[in-house]
Amino acid sequence: MENKNNEKALNRVALLRKERGWSQREVGEKLFIDRRTICNIEKGIYNLPNLVAIADLFNVTLDYILWRSDLRVNVQDGFDEVDILVLEQIKDYTTAEKERLLKHLELDNSLKNKNGN
């Protein structure tokens, strides 16, 4: 079953592909789908099994691909949407940047505990 969706929705497939530096042909090879099919998916012409395969390949949700959510991953037990958004923001930080952020958070928590908050 083929579905035609607006161009904006499936542009996320192209964005995800470009983030990885992959061509349409490379994505097709990874999914055993021809390049023309990947091109059509990026234009908004897709079938659900192919879209599910793409979501799995890029480790994102269908809701993310279809612009139903800005969260790339499902919210896990113990994490809320804000937690996931924070993780999304820091995933590309360098180790030094993450360590600096961690020190800042530790200092902030220490000050809260000292002030009884």
Side-chain angles (χ1 to χ4, degrees):
M1 180 173 143
E2 199 170 275
N3 183 28
K4 290 190 179 209
N5 201 343
N6 68 38
E7 190 175 317
K8 175 185 173 190
L10 276 296
N11 277 341
R12 278 201 165 154
V13 173
L15 292 172
L16 290 164
R17 176 179 60 79
K18 290 173 184 176
E19 281 178 5
R20 301 266 176 113
W22 294 342
S23 68
Q24 290 175 340
R25 182 184 54 76
E26 289 171 311
V27 172
E29 287 174 356
K30 293 175 187 313
L31 298 174
F32 304 101
I33 299 171
D34 80 19
R35 185 204 62 79
R36 286 181 306 235
T37 301
I38 301 301
C39 181
N40 284 336
I41 289 168
E42 289 182 5
K43 290 179 182 176
I45 303 167
Y46 61 89
N47 64 38
L48 190 56
N50 286 344
L51 209 56
V52 169
I54 287 173
D56 289 346
L57 175 66
F58 290 107
N59 196 31
V60 298
T61 64
L62 285 175
D63 282 345
Y64 177 77
I65 289 175
L66 296 172
W67 288 81
R68 293 177 47 152
S69 172
D70 287 333
L71 298 176
R72 292 182 181 215
V73 297
N74 285 322
V75 176
Q76 302 293 317
D77 291 337
F79 290 96
D80 62 21
E81 280 191 41
V82 174
D83 295 331
I84 299 299
L85 289 171
V86 169
L87 292 172
E88 285 287 326
Q89 290 295 312
I90 65 170
K91 73 177 172 51
D92 295 326
Y93 280 22
T94 65
T95 300
E97 290 169 326
K98 289 176 186 175
E99 288 171 351
R100 207 167 45 245
L101 179 60
L102 184 59
K103 285 179 183 178
H104 175 77
L105 293 171
E106 288 169 348
L107 176 61
D108 188 56
N109 285 333
S110 173
L111 291 173
K112 282 180 188 174
N113 290 337
K114 185 176 181 180
N115 294 329
N117 293 335

